[in-house]
Structures are given as C-alpha cells and as structure tokens.
Amino acid sequence: MARFISVARRAWAAKRQHAYSRHRPPPEKTSYFALHNGQTAHSVHKDMVEKVQTTEGEATLANFLDHQIHCFIQLAPMVRESTLPRVSHLYALLSAVIEDAISVRLLGDSARLNQAYIISRALLERVTNFCFLQLCTDTEFDNYIDYTLNKVGRRFDRSIEAEGHTRARIALKDGLFDLPPEIAAAVAKFTSERGREKTRWTNVSLPDRAAVVEAKIGRTGLFMSLLSIYADASEALHGTLYGAVFHLGAYDVGAIPRDQESLDRHRHSTLACLYLMAGGAMDTLLSVLQALGQSGAQQAAASSTAAFRLAATAADLTVRSQESSVENNV
C-alpha cells in the first residue's frame, strides 16, 4: 500500500494546489512530484489538479469506491461463515463498513460533503477496529466484546444528569429488574470505583491501533486517511462553527472558493479524496483478511489492487517509475 500513500498525498495536495501556488513560486528542481513525461514537478502538480477537480476526476474515484463496495458484498457471506473466530464474530462490523461506503457515495451524489465526512470518519474507525481486533491480544478482543454486552445492559436503565440533578431517564420496570449474569458481569467490568460508566473499550489510541495493523501488513495508508478526515469530521460531529463550514473550503487560506466555478472544483476534489480514502481503507481490510488466510480474500484483494491502480492512472494521480525513485530520495 505504499503506492496508495503516494497517491493519497497527491490527491489531497490537489485540494490545496491554489493555496500553494499563490504563496510560493514553482520549485526549481524536481522533488515530491518529480518528473512525468519530461514535465517539471510544478507542471505535473498542475495537470493532476485539473483532472481531480473535474466531474470526470471525481467520477473515476467514485467508480473505485463502487468497486470496493461490490468486492465487500461478494466477500461478506464468506466472512459471516468464516472458520476464523474473530473474523466471523465481527461480521456485523464489516457489514457496517459496507453501509458506510454506500452512504458516502449517496451523500456524494447529492453534494452533501459535510455529512460525507462524518460517515467517512465512521468507516475509517470501523475499518481500523476490525483490522486491529484481528491482531490484538485476547484481552483486548474480550474487552471489545464485553463492552458491547455492557452497552446492552445499560440500555435498560439510562439517565442524563446536569447540575447534580437527573434531567431525563428511561428505565425498564423503573430499574427493578435483574440482568442475565453475562451482561451483569460486563456492566460491572465497565463501571469505575466511583460508580461511573467507563466509556472506552480500550486504552489503545486509534493511531496506535493503526500502527498495529501496519506492523502486520506494512504501510497501509490508514494514517493518511485518519489525518485527512478524522479531525475535521469530529468537529462536524461536535457542532463547532469550524465543523459547519470547513467542507466548503472556507478556511483554505489562499484557495477559498470565490464563485460557483471554484466551488465546483473544490467539491469535485473533496469528494474524489473522500472516495479514495474510503476505498483505500477498505483495501487495507482486505489485505488483513488475506494475511489471515480468509477464504476469498486473496481474490478480493487482488481485484482491489487492480481497481486502485486503474483509478489512480485514470485520475492522473500516478507517475512513472522514475518519479518513485526520485520520491524515495527526497
């Protein structure tokens, strides 16, 4: 997936091209964007931006994500019936990834960028968790399962407190009931000494979970996807002013859309990047399943890689081998 990281960087840089070009001159020597058909790094960057910021460029990456969705739908029955216990136990998580990817596409088709960011965040965390949980210790995996049982138990008696008073409560039989032993044990496990709910199933941060995945299968692109999407999507979820307008390019200093044409370019490039990041994350999950020996994963992973290369080439996000050698020396 080192190739994915390189392509992801180019795609995301395309969103910032105008800001870069307005604030600094073209590079005098080839560096990150290197040479492509005899062009300078600056001209390669410019051509790439023009393609990604078009309807055609967006559609190319949309087709890539559509392909990934199809691969996952084809693989889903084999995951559900997997002989690998952790894989089959987390079938619902893989199904949720499929639903997220479909939702991102539907939102993208309706130009709902802010909401597409939010769903992309969910997809990335689910993919990261699914992969991490295949590789983590038994204790971490058990905690994840027990956390679900804990949440099930707490659904029967929930309340909200503010300023020291209960403001709302939903309780079965006014809270006078006994939970099944397994669920009661899970609730106790995620209750602090002060009687408060523990709201995390793990103390391993999301980036550290991604690092565990990379240690298993090599560079994955998860870090680039998390960096590009997670923080901004979180702002949208938390209701900040930044989170309400960032997707419009309002804070892209030097590249703020000023008219319908520039806003359209921004929309195309943003959606292209979201599709690329989502599809790339799904490719990582396929790579993990392949490494585990999951039936059907090898064929799906090969198909995913081929689709990625085709999309990257069609969207002008790849360069020839001589660029790779230059990049590695930068």
Side-chain angles (χ1 to χ4, degrees):
M1 284 301 291
R3 182 181 292 272
F4 169 77
I5 298 172
S6 178
V7 169
R9 284 173 177 161
R10 290 191 181 88
W12 205 255
K15 285 171 52 57
R16 312 300 181 192
Q17 163 64 6
H18 294 296
Y20 295 158
S21 61
R22 291 182 187 182
H23 291 284
R24 66 183 183 189
E28 295 180 357
K29 63 178 182 178
T30 57
S31 56
Y32 179 75
F33 294 98
L35 296 173
H36 180 50
N37 294 333
Q39 296 173 305
T40 65
H42 181 66
S43 61
V44 170
H45 197 178
K46 181 176 183 296
D47 290 346
M48 174 195 68
V49 171
E50 290 175 351
K51 186 64 172 289
V52 174
Q53 291 182 340
T54 65
T55 301
E56 181 185 359
E58 176 193 329
T60 296
L61 275 304
N63 289 338
F64 169 56
L65 183 53
D66 288 342
H67 176 275
Q68 300 298 77
I69 293 169
H70 178 74
C71 278
F72 269 56
I73 291 174
Q74 294 294 107
L75 186 63
M78 286 176 273
V79 170
R80 185 177 62 245
E81 304 298 331
S82 177
T83 57
L84 302 171
R86 291 193 184 186
V87 172
S88 59
H89 286 166
L90 298 181
Y91 167 73
L93 202 55
L94 182 135
S95 295
V97 169
I98 296 174
E99 293 300 318
D100 286 340
I102 293 172
S103 297
V104 169
R105 284 290 289 112
L106 292 174
L107 290 167
D109 284 346
S110 300
R112 299 293 184 260
L113 273 66
N114 196 273
Q115 291 71 27
Y117 262 94
I118 292 171
I119 301 301
S120 295
R121 176 191 185 275
L123 183 150
L124 289 174
E125 188 155 6
R126 283 169 170 155
V127 166
T128 303
N129 284 346
F130 185 97
C131 295
F132 171 75
L133 288 163
Q134 305 306 319
L135 308 170
C136 66
T137 64
D138 289 340
T139 298
E140 287 284 3
F141 187 84
D142 290 343
N143 285 344
Y144 184 82
I145 300 301
D146 288 344
Y147 183 79
T148 298
L149 296 177
N150 154 68
K151 298 304 292 187
V152 170
R154 293 182 188 276
R155 283 181 61 86
F156 296 110
D157 191 351
R158 293 180 286 176
S159 62
I160 293 179
E161 293 185 3
E163 298 179 337
H165 300 284
T166 299
R167 300 306 179 97
R169 185 186 182 199
I170 301 175
L172 176 67
K173 297 181 179 180
D174 201 29
L176 302 176
F177 59 87
D178 293 324
L179 292 171
E182 185 180 18
I183 293 180
V187 171
K189 183 177 184 178
F190 286 93
T191 301
S192 70
E193 294 180 356
R194 295 185 177 183
R196 298 285 186 178
E197 179 186 1
K198 297 179 182 178
T199 57
R200 296 179 181 273
W201 61 270
T202 182
N203 291 323
V204 181
S205 69
L206 192 60
D208 285 342
R209 281 172 249 165
V212 170
V213 179
E214 284 210 347
K216 174 66 176 180
I217 63 173
R219 301 180 72 185
T220 64
L222 283 178
F223 289 115
M224 178 61 69
S225 298
L226 291 170
L227 178 64
S228 303
I229 294 172
Y230 198 88
D232 284 344
S234 296
E235 293 299 318
L237 279 170
H238 298 324
T240 66
L241 181 60
Y242 174 89
V245 296
F246 76 90
H247 62 288
L248 300 174
Y251 302 119
D252 294 349
V253 178
I256 298 174
R258 299 294 183 182
D259 51 30
Q260 188 61 51
E261 181 181 356
S262 58
L263 186 61
D264 287 343
R265 289 199 303 269
H266 175 81
R267 183 183 74 254
H268 292 316
S269 62
T270 297
L271 287 173
C273 287
L274 290 178
Y275 297 152
L276 175 63
M277 300 298 173
M282 295 168 78
D283 182 84
T284 295
L285 194 153
L286 292 176
S287 295
V288 169
L289 289 178
Q290 181 181 10
L292 295 173
Q294 169 61 44
S295 174
Q298 183 174 359
Q299 180 179 357
S303 178
S304 172
T305 299
F308 166 72
R309 289 174 176 170
L310 181 64
T313 300
D316 288 345
L317 292 175
T318 59
V319 289
R320 295 181 178 180
S321 58
Q322 61 261 39
E323 175 179 346
S324 298
S325 63
V326 174
E327 281 187 3
N328 292 333
N329 292 325
V330 175

